[in-house]
Amino acid sequence: MKRLKVLMLLLVVSIAVIGCQNDKFMNLRGNVTDKFTGEPLAGITVELGNKVVKTNDKGYFIFNSIPVIDNLDKKDSVISLSGKDYLSKTKQLLLEEGDKSISIKLERSYMNLSGQVIDRFKGEALAGVTVELGNQMVETDANGYFRIERIPVIDNPSIEDRLVKVSSPGYRVCTKVITLEGRDKIFNEKLALENKREAKFFFVSDKGKSKSIYMTDIYGKNVVRLTDDKGDDWAPNWSADGEELLFLSNRDRDTNIYVMDIDGSNLRQITFTATDKESPVWLDKNTILFASNRDGDFDIYKSDLTGSYLKRLTDNNYYDSQLAYSPKYHSIAYISATTGEKKLHVMQEDGASKILLNNGFGTDSAPAWSGDEEEIIFNNYSSGKSILYQIAPNGSSLKKIMKVNRRIYSYAFWDRDEQLILYVSDGTEGKEINLFTKQEKNRKVMFAPKVNYSDPEWQD
């Protein structure tokens, strides 16, 4: 009998102890939102141990009376979340007595990608362009826009899985590597396609031991060196027939004018004097214009390629140089300091009818005729800013084309419609060549540390 009473007492104590262990509970309240948008997610399945609930229309869920038990198996304290179009997620919880709140963010299992494709130089939207990502392919609409939907977000994607490929006939293929993440993504920058144009230009670089003349394409690739001498070569000017290149060189100590074929062969020296010279340009197949200080100050001269004929076109005690010739109007645009400042002028090819075209503030330089020769382009520098203007040959219709907050040393203007401008300005460690379009987009074309680029000249 006594033994039975002892057993009964032990049973009561055990029940009491177990009852005390189960007296500890936790109430868990949580909300589930989209990782990127922050929007609440309804209908998400939430599991904890053997309990399952779903989030309400505001993204909330509640677990009541979760037993807090010592030495609980870890898997019984893991909360799992899953839902349509979202990546599953698990989270280890610390079960402790009382009320607890958590916030959980889920990432969508797919992304949507959108953007716009434009012509890099014209800035115009391109329709019908093919855009590929993974195994999906779309085309741009009439305004150049595209959208790729439901791109899977996968773990450890390869480069191929993340590579956006943009292609269109007549354009270079453009590729971009993106990050796959569960949200709608828009390219911050428009995808700009480069036309497979054959446009090339000459330029000068002191990358070697001396200045040399090079030729490259509009992208600054496929660089070809045309001159290679111990002296400096600069100021290239291409002939109208596309066969010869006029330039300056001090390869024989003095600065003189030389001509060579477009591939760098058939080099000939045109002038043989010890005076300084500037701005050699073609007047016709057998005649050139240039500036020289043979009489103390720079004046403009006309000569044939044999050197047997020489005519002086300006005769004053001021600077006259920086020439540009118009076959259409038989006129020469040039820079003269007869007013006390270097200003844009124009005269007939025989030196007659000299006219001041611009009398505004600043210093003018580098005149050039537009493609149709209806305007003269020139650079004006004042107060640390350079502005390219165009003006009619009679001095009317002055119009700004481009403005940069630094000095432009030289430039090359191509095509009245596209207005592609190569210009030279200061870089971080040297002078660089940049490309400017009529959409006011700038792009570096030729640049390198401690290298000076200059004298860009379009080949066509």
Side-chain angles (χ1 to χ4, degrees), residues 90-122:
T90 59
K91 184 179 181 68
Q92 187 77 46
L93 294 180
L94 176 61
L95 299 185
E96 50 191 3
E97 187 178 10
D99 294 336
K100 188 170 186 177
S101 296
I102 61 171
S103 294
I104 301 176
K105 297 179 180 180
L106 294 186
E107 184 175 357
R108 204 168 62 187
S109 60
Y110 68 91
M111 68 177 285
N112 299 319
L113 179 68
S114 59
Q116 186 184 27
V117 182
I118 62 170
D119 183 293
R120 181 164 193 169
F121 301 105
K122 294 182 180 180

Side-chain angles (χ1 to χ4, degrees), residues 173-226:
V173 174
C174 173
T175 59
K176 296 277 187 181
V177 177
I178 65 170
T179 300
L180 299 181
E181 48 193 4
R183 60 171 171 169
D184 289 351
K185 178 176 282 190
I186 301 174
F187 277 109
N188 291 329
E189 296 182 2
K190 296 175 182 177
L191 293 170
L193 290 187
E194 296 180 340
N195 197 303
K196 291 181 180 177
R197 62 180 76 231
E198 296 299 323
K200 296 181 179 180
F201 67 92
F202 304 102
F203 67 94
V204 173
S205 170
D206 62 1
K207 185 176 183 179
K209 293 182 179 179
S210 59
K211 292 181 180 179
S212 296
I213 299 173
Y214 299 79
M215 182 169 62
T216 187
D217 57 31
I218 200 170
Y219 312 103
K221 303 173 184 177
N222 304 315
V223 177
V224 177
R225 188 171 185 170
L226 300 180

Side-chain angles (χ1 to χ4, degrees), residues 193-326:
L193 290 187
E194 296 180 340
N195 197 303
K196 291 181 180 177
R197 62 180 76 231
E198 296 299 323
K200 296 181 179 180
F201 67 92
F202 304 102
F203 67 94
V204 173
S205 170
D206 62 1
K207 185 176 183 179
K209 293 182 179 179
S210 59
K211 292 181 180 179
S212 296
I213 299 173
Y214 299 79
M215 182 169 62
T216 187
D217 57 31
I218 200 170
Y219 312 103
K221 303 173 184 177
N222 304 315
V223 177
V224 177
R225 188 171 185 170
L226 300 180
T227 65
D228 187 4
D229 192 85
K230 63 182 183 296
D232 291 332
D233 303 319
W234 70 100
N237 184 258
W238 191 48
S239 63
D241 62 11
E243 296 180 358
E244 296 177 302
L245 193 69
L246 200 64
F247 65 98
L248 291 173
S249 178
N250 61 6
R251 59 185 59 204
D252 292 322
R253 293 192 302 177
D254 298 320
T255 298
N256 277 296
I257 301 172
Y258 292 76
V259 65
M260 66 181 179
D261 291 350
I262 201 67
D263 60 0
S265 63
N266 195 21
L267 178 70
R268 291 98 70 199
Q269 186 172 346
I270 305 301
T271 62
F272 297 85
T273 62
T275 58
D276 290 333
K277 299 166 190 68
E278 292 182 353
S279 305
V281 298
W282 293 95
L283 189 144
D284 57 40
K285 179 66 176 176
N286 299 304
T287 312
I288 62 171
L289 301 167
F290 66 94
S292 173
N293 65 353
R294 63 175 58 203
D295 291 319
D297 62 276
F298 277 94
D299 282 301
I300 298 171
Y301 295 84
K302 178 164 56 173
S303 173
D304 61 15
L305 294 182
T306 65
S308 60
Y309 167 78
L310 182 69
K311 180 180 179 180
R312 184 172 179 170
L313 302 182
T314 61
D315 188 4
N316 55 59
N317 295 323
Y318 299 93
Y319 174 91
D320 298 304
S321 186
Q322 303 183 45
L323 324 174
Y325 178 66
S326 166

Side-chain angles (χ1 to χ4, degrees), residues 16-218:
V17 170
I18 294 172
C20 289
Q21 287 182 339
N22 287 339
D23 282 341
K24 293 182 180 180
F25 295 97
M26 181 178 84
N27 298 316
L28 179 64
R29 177 184 174 87
N31 74 302
V32 183
T33 58
D34 185 287
K35 177 180 178 179
F36 294 104
T37 66
E39 295 177 355
L41 299 179
I44 298 296
T45 300
V46 187
E47 300 178 59
L48 179 61
N50 60 358
K51 294 188 176 185
V52 180
V53 297
K54 287 185 178 292
T55 57
N56 63 17
D57 58 354
K58 294 184 179 180
Y60 286 98
F61 66 89
I62 297 176
F63 286 108
N64 289 317
S65 302
I66 304 167
V68 177
I69 304 172
D70 293 336
N71 302 317
L72 184 69
D73 194 320
K74 283 189 175 181
K75 65 182 176 64
D76 292 324
S77 61
V78 172
I79 187 169
S80 301
L81 299 95
S82 59
K84 183 181 179 181
D85 294 333
Y86 279 87
L87 298 174
S88 298
K89 187 172 185 176
T90 59
K91 184 179 181 68
Q92 187 77 46
L93 294 180
L94 176 61
L95 299 185
E96 50 191 3
E97 187 178 10
D99 294 336
K100 188 170 186 177
S101 296
I102 61 171
S103 294
I104 301 176
K105 297 179 180 180
L106 294 186
E107 184 175 357
R108 204 168 62 187
S109 60
Y110 68 91
M111 68 177 285
N112 299 319
L113 179 68
S114 59
Q116 186 184 27
V117 182
I118 62 170
D119 183 293
R120 181 164 193 169
F121 301 105
K122 294 182 180 180
E124 298 173 351
L126 296 176
V129 173
T130 300
V131 184
E132 301 174 67
L133 176 62
N135 60 358
Q136 297 197 59
M137 180 186 300
V138 297
E139 287 191 353
T140 57
D141 63 18
N143 296 312
Y145 289 100
F146 69 90
R147 181 177 173 86
I148 303 176
E149 297 185 336
R150 302 193 71 83
I151 303 160
V153 176
I154 58 178
D155 293 331
N156 303 314
S158 66
I159 293 294
E160 289 73 19
D161 293 325
R162 300 185 292 119
L163 187 68
V164 178
K165 180 181 176 182
V166 185
S167 59
S168 182
Y171 285 88
R172 297 175 185 267
V173 174
C174 173
T175 59
K176 296 277 187 181
V177 177
I178 65 170
T179 300
L180 299 181
E181 48 193 4
R183 60 171 171 169
D184 289 351
K185 178 176 282 190
I186 301 174
F187 277 109
N188 291 329
E189 296 182 2
K190 296 175 182 177
L191 293 170
L193 290 187
E194 296 180 340
N195 197 303
K196 291 181 180 177
R197 62 180 76 231
E198 296 299 323
K200 296 181 179 180
F201 67 92
F202 304 102
F203 67 94
V204 173
S205 170
D206 62 1
K207 185 176 183 179
K209 293 182 179 179
S210 59
K211 292 181 180 179
S212 296
I213 299 173
Y214 299 79
M215 182 169 62
T216 187
D217 57 31
I218 200 170

